[in-house]
Amino acid sequence: MFDQTTEVSGSPVVSGMFGRNPVFRDIITANPEMEKIFHVIEKVAGTNSTVLILGDSGTGKELIARALHDLSGVSGPFVPVNCGAIPDNLLESELFGHEKGAFTGAISSKPGRFMLANNGTIFLDEIGEMTPNLQVKLLRVLQERVIEPVGGVKSQPVNVRVIAATNVNLWEKVQEGSFREDLYYRLQVVPIELPSLSERPEDITILANHFSHEYALQNNRRPLVFSPEVLQVFGRYRWPGNIREFENLIERLTILVDGDAVYVEHLPRYLCEQSDVDGFDWRSSELPEDGLDFNSVVDSFENSLIMQALERTKGNKKAAAELLNLNRTTLVEKIKKKGIGVKRDEEETQLKAAR
Ligand SMILES: Nc1ncnc2c1ncn2[C@@H]1O[C@H](COP(=O)(O)OP(=O)(O)OP(=O)(O)O)[C@@H](O)[C@H]1O
Ligand SMILES: [Mg+2]
């Protein structure tokens, strides 16, 4: 069986999960930055301060917002609003509610999400998409803690914790004039910046195992086991869609891979092609300013060629050796030395024996 508790991408997998507040149990991580974020959340949870969560798409902003809400122990609900997904003309009534007859189609009065979140938390996702008109109204709510339903004459007090999130650079929006500076400062009383998945090498193996168990359960099959080479490819890929993209891939592999073991040949091609070593793309002929580690780059170049040859020949080492103009024995030796994946059927036998 592959050992998935040792090194991935040069970083030892540490378990940072012991002693952590159970509210964070759905957030799988061993990353020190994430641990710091948990401490910030613990500190801010008991207050009513506005929190702004920054991070690329799929980094877990909503997951963090929910944990913050759960930890705060408030009696009201967690109400998420995706400001980017609701048309501008509807967002105001969606947030603040409306009175009967406020606009065509308003046949009865309706409470907004702020009111629904009373004594709880409202999560304003994609806050950067909010129009200037609504930004002013939101600022007023944050400052005065009252809302004005569309078509209404009376302000209504609300007691709501506001968490906002964005994957755009809000400060850039402030500078180009599309986001109000006063609202920006009002929102980011406590800013939390989530690292992207490529900045969390220690999370790759534990997340792979976590999702593999989750989707195994859902699909009524045994969890996948990843070859060391596959984990290396995972560790080198940039994951533009971050944890969501990673999760989707593991779900896909759970459905498509026959047997329990995942080899490089099972991975989508782009994953292997786009992964590079420590930020150095071996396809580029330029030596980086600050140099590189010759052995690891050459090693990675070799690995990549061998992996591609094995992938193209569906694991047939004789054919792969021919593609690379190598003796079969030389290739087999390299594969063994590099641990690139024991012969598929041998591995299956080992897996069976280990069970
Ligand atoms: N650390 C983690 N452990 C386990 N699952 C995670 C983790 N981070 C994110 N996820 C999962 O990844 C998916 C995306 O997370 P989430 O929706 O919180 O991201 P997001 O930053 O809000 O994304 P977007 O910018 O697209 O709105 C969810 O299915 C979530 O459960
Ligand atoms: Mg989100």
Side-chain angles (χ1 to χ4, degrees):
M1 181 90 75
F2 308 121
D3 174 12
Q4 313 218 317
T5 57
T6 49
E7 289 219 334
V8 181
S9 292
S11 308
V13 173
V14 289
S15 176
M17 285 180 277
F18 301 112
R20 187 186 290 166
N21 192 308
V23 91
F24 300 124
R25 68 184 161 270
D26 293 336
I27 307 173
I28 310 300
T29 186
N31 175 263
E33 283 308 306
M34 291 295 290
E35 294 289 341
K36 281 187 203 157
I37 288 171
F38 291 156
H39 289 308
V40 172
I41 292 175
E42 280 168 339
K43 281 192 181 149
V44 81
T47 74
N48 203 25
S49 302
T50 306
V51 174
L52 178 65
I53 306 177
L54 306 159
D56 289 342
S57 172
T59 45
K61 296 185 289 296
E62 185 155 348
L63 211 56
I64 288 285
R66 281 181 192 274
L68 206 167
H69 167 77
D70 290 345
L71 202 59
S72 62
V74 291
S75 59
F78 177 86
V79 178
V81 187
N82 187 337
C83 303
I86 301 174
D88 290 346
N89 57 339
L90 294 184
L91 189 56
E92 182 175 356
S93 88
E94 200 56 44
L95 288 174
F96 308 127
H98 63 252
E99 298 296 347
K100 183 178 174 182
F103 47 83
T104 320
I107 47 172
S108 58
S109 66
K110 191 180 159 214
R113 307 255 186 124
F114 263 93
M115 199 43 95
L116 296 176
N118 206 13
N119 298 318
T121 307
I122 193 163
F123 176 56
L124 302 175
D125 204 358
E126 294 192 39
I127 189 83
E129 301 301 311
M130 209 174 248
T131 59
N133 173 38
L134 264 185
Q135 289 175 28
V136 182
K137 295 186 174 168
L138 177 62
L139 185 64
R140 178 149 185 254
V141 177
L142 292 175
Q143 278 167 348
E144 295 168 30
R145 303 274 160 191
V146 290
I147 53 165
E148 276 174 23
V150 179
V153 284
K154 251 177 64 190
S155 304
Q156 300 170 350
V158 280
N159 172 29
V160 174
R161 149 54 91 38
V162 176
I163 305 178
T166 179
N167 55 20
V168 299
N169 187 329
L170 219 47
W171 180 238
E172 252 172 35
K173 283 200 163 240
V174 170
Q175 284 172 325
E176 71 190 28
S178 59
F179 202 85
R180 292 182 67 99
E181 190 170 356
D182 44 9
L183 178 59
Y184 172 79
Y185 287 118
R186 197 69 195 73
L187 285 173
Q188 65 137 19
V189 177
V190 181
I192 290 178
E193 197 165 346
L194 295 183
S196 59
L197 181 54
S198 58
E199 292 166 318
R200 307 184 205 174
E202 51 288 272
D203 285 354
I204 292 289
T205 305
I206 53 173
L207 276 173
N209 290 336
H210 168 75
F211 291 133
S212 140
H213 277 82
E214 203 169 278
Y215 287 104
L217 212 66
Q218 278 184 30
N219 291 282
N220 200 22
R221 56 165 295 171
R222 273 196 303 240
L224 296 174
V225 186
F226 305 92
S227 77
E229 260 321 297
V230 164
L231 291 173
Q232 274 176 22
V233 171
F234 287 168
R236 287 186 213 129
Y237 181 63
R238 295 208 181 281
W239 300 108
N242 292 289
I243 296 149
R244 181 178 291 108
E245 183 185 1
F246 193 45
E247 180 174 357
N248 292 345
L249 176 74
I250 305 296
E251 180 180 5
R252 192 184 336 152
L253 291 172
T254 304
I255 295 162
L256 297 182
V257 171
D258 297 323
D260 304 342
V262 184
Y263 297 89
V264 170
E265 70 202 60
H266 294 121
L267 301 180
R269 208 175 166 75
Y270 66 85
L271 214 72
C272 304
E273 282 172 354
Q274 282 180 27
S275 58
D276 55 24
V277 175
D278 298 329
F280 174 70
D281 183 351
W282 50 259
R283 283 165 293 263
S284 134
S285 55
E286 275 200 3
L287 180 66
E289 270 307 299
D290 47 356
L292 49 74
D293 184 71
F294 180 84
N295 288 332
S296 66
V297 171
V298 171
D299 202 40
S300 149
F301 188 22
E302 282 193 357
N303 287 357
S304 171
L305 291 176
I306 294 172
M307 272 164 11
Q308 287 185 55
L310 285 172
E311 194 188 327
R312 201 173 299 169
T313 59
K314 305 218 174 335
N316 182 325
K317 287 175 193 150
K318 186 165 176 281
E322 271 166 20
L323 260 185
L324 298 170
N325 195 20
L326 284 175
N327 282 331
R328 187 183 175 280
T329 44
T330 312
L331 179 66
V332 170
E333 232 168 67
K334 277 188 184 294
I335 288 173
K336 218 163 137 194
K337 204 165 131 209
K338 291 165 176 290
I340 289 186
V342 191
K343 203 172 151 198
R344 189 82 192 279
D345 42 353
E346 277 171 25
E347 196 65 60
E348 295 287 354
T349 317
Q350 283 178 18
L351 279 172
K352 279 192 192 117
R355 274 186 216 122

